[in-house]
């Protein structure tokens, strides 16, 4: 997407309990995060706890997670009138996503976005994610 600063892109990631990526999506920088949640929620296993930041706080996302048999642990936005159950203890585990993005920034080409086309950029991110999965699952024997 275009903004005053130039082209921007958001990376939406779904990670598992070990911080390894399961699902990735790209969107324009000015687009709302809630729009991309549908694609991520399709990969969430039923009966799991979904941890997200305030950008993903919407009634549609909460109802979708509830229908899948899961629990949405998302902090409410300031303008929300209805309150929901929220566990600050569980929310601490959202740092797994932040650590994934920290690892992603170690790859200089991805952090500075050398790729001009979004499909090439997403492919480079997925190759880096494959590297993370291999490193996490390789045998030490």
């Amino acid at each position: 997407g275009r903004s005053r600063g130039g082209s921007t892109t958001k990376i939406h990631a779904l990670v598992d309990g070990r911080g390894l990526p399961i699902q990735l999506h790209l969107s324009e920088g000015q687009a709302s995060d809630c729009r991309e949640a549908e694609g991520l929620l399709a990969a969430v296993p039923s009966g799991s706890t979904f941890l997200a930041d305030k950008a993903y706080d919407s009634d549609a996302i909460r109802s979708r997670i509830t229908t899948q048999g899961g629990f949405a642990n998302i902090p409410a936005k300031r303008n929300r009138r209805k309150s929901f159950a929220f566990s600050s203890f569980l929310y601490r585990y959202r740092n797994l996503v932040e650590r994934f993005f920290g690892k992603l920034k170690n790859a200089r080409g991805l952090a500075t976005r050398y790729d001009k086309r979004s499909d090439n950029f997403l492919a480079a991110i997925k190759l880096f994610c494959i590297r993370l999965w291999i490193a996490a699952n390789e045998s030490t024997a």
Side-chain angles (χ1 to χ4, degrees), residues 18-128:
R18 297 186 299 167
L20 297 173
I22 296 173
Q23 190 79 309
L24 296 166
H25 287 284
L26 292 180
S27 70
E28 302 88 17
Q30 72 271 16
S32 170
D33 290 346
C34 294
R35 281 191 346 188
E36 293 297 319
E38 280 297 318
L40 295 176
L41 291 176
V44 174
S46 62
S48 61
T49 302
F50 184 75
L51 305 173
D53 59 357
K54 289 182 181 183
Y56 292 95
D57 180 29
S58 73
D59 293 332
I61 293 173
R62 288 181 185 274
S63 65
R64 168 88 188 261
I65 294 168
T66 304
T67 57
Q68 288 180 346
F71 172 67
N73 195 38
I74 304 171
K77 291 182 183 177
R78 279 194 291 173
N79 61 354
R80 184 170 282 280
R81 295 176 190 244
K82 184 179 178 185
S83 64
F84 294 95
F86 176 72
S87 170
S88 58
F89 179 78
L90 284 176
Y91 191 69
R92 293 188 309 180
Y93 291 101
R94 201 184 70 80
N95 71 24
L96 293 170
V97 175
E98 301 301 329
R99 282 194 259 158
F100 164 70
F101 282 117
K103 290 174 189 173
L104 196 64
K105 289 178 183 176
N106 287 335
R108 188 171 148 229
L110 298 177
T112 56
R113 178 139 188 214
Y114 288 147
D115 296 315
K116 299 297 180 196
R117 292 180 43 182
S118 62
D119 56 347
N120 290 341
F121 183 56
L122 185 60
I125 293 170
K126 288 184 178 183
L127 284 173
F128 184 79

